[in-house]
């Protein structure tokens, strides 16, 4: 009789230990941590305690994620309210930079607008190359990862050579791209391909709506 036969027998006879309960204390197995011989019942209790500890760790992790998401939601809400209260382009511009840099702690923020009915003075309305236009137009969701566009990275000015990760968010009006919001960091792990983009997408949508309201 080999081990697989024993396993099969026990699986086919789940009431075996009900009829031979003394075996639960007579059988000896190794302690998973010390290696000492213990009863099968003790080994089962240890396994249950380990399982409970694992579940407690997972629960604590979920609570941590929940608290983090609550914090991000609060920041997005503050940004939304400020954008709604902004009465002109300069106010919108101030809100974008202030909230992303101060509230969201994004070190470097820039954006460009093209094909708008109205324009203003400032770097946000400087001409952009076709590569940027095509890239932003093809984005189905924000791009997060290593710097992908040299021109867009240059928007960060002297700090551009230090940028190691970026988030590039298309700004759209009726499904048509009219600009792009860029966020950059010296930390290569700040923006990465596998990160969730739900909040970044919502920020892009709110910034787009605010800009369209003022620029057409």
């Amino acid at each position: 009789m080999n081990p697989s036969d024993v396993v099969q027998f026990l699986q086919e006879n789940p009431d075996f230990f009900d009829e031979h309960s003394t075996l639960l204390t007579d059988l000896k197995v190794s302690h998973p941590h010390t290696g000492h011989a213990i009863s099968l019942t003790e080994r089962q209790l240890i396994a249950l305690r380990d399982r409970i500890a694992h579940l407690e760790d997972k629960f604590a992790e979920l609570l941590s994620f929940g608290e983090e998401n609550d914090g991000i939601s609060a920041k997005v809400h503050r940004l939304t309210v400020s954008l709604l209260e902004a009465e002109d382009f300069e106010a919108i511009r101030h809100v974008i930079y202030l909230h992303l840099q101060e509230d969201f702690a994004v070190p470097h923020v820039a954006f460009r607008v093209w094909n708008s009915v109205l324009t203003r003075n400032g770097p946000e309305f400087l001409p952009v190359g076709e590569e940027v236009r095509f890239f932003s137009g093809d984005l189905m969701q924000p791009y997060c990862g290593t710097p992908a566009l040299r021109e867009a990275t240059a928007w960060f000015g002297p700090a551009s050579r230090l940028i190691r990760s970026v988030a590039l968010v298309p700004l759209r009006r009726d499904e048509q791209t009219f600009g792009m919001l860029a966020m950059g960091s010296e930390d290569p792990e700040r923006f990465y391909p596998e990160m969730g983009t739900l909040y970044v997408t919502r920020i892009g949508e709110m910034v787009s709506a605010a800009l369209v309201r003022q620029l057409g």
Side-chain angles (χ1 to χ4, degrees), residues 48-66:
L48 287 173
R49 282 196 293 267
D50 289 345
R51 177 61 175 166
I52 291 172
H54 175 71
L55 291 175
E56 289 175 341
D57 289 341
K58 294 297 291 183
F59 183 65
E61 183 179 6
L62 290 174
L63 285 178
S64 177
F65 286 148

Side-chain angles (χ1 to χ4, degrees), residues 122-189:
E124 293 79 19
F125 295 92
L126 290 174
V128 299
E130 287 188 349
E131 184 181 13
V132 170
R133 292 172 180 254
F134 289 148
F135 181 89
S136 58
D138 290 339
L139 287 176
M140 301 303 295
Q141 62 182 23
Y143 169 87
C144 297
T146 56
L149 292 173
R150 181 176 299 180
E151 180 182 346
T153 305
W155 297 350
F156 302 127
S160 60
R161 62 185 181 86
L162 303 175
I163 301 299
R164 296 294 178 268
S165 66
V166 297
L168 304 177
V169 189
L171 303 177
R172 294 194 168 101
R173 175 204 308 110
D174 299 328
E175 304 301 322
Q176 296 296 316
T177 303
F178 70 90
M180 187 165 72
L181 172 66
M183 294 175 278
S185 174
E186 291 86 354
D187 180 2
E189 300 299 324

Side-chain angles (χ1 to χ4, degrees), residues 21-51:
S21 58
T22 55
L23 284 175
L24 293 174
T25 54
D26 292 340
L27 291 175
K28 301 295 181 183
V29 295
S30 297
H31 192 288
H33 307 305
T34 66
H36 296 156
I38 57 175
S39 70
L40 193 61
T41 302
E42 290 176 291
R43 179 65 179 83
Q44 187 176 29
L45 289 174
I46 292 171
L48 287 173
R49 282 196 293 267
D50 289 345
R51 177 61 175 166

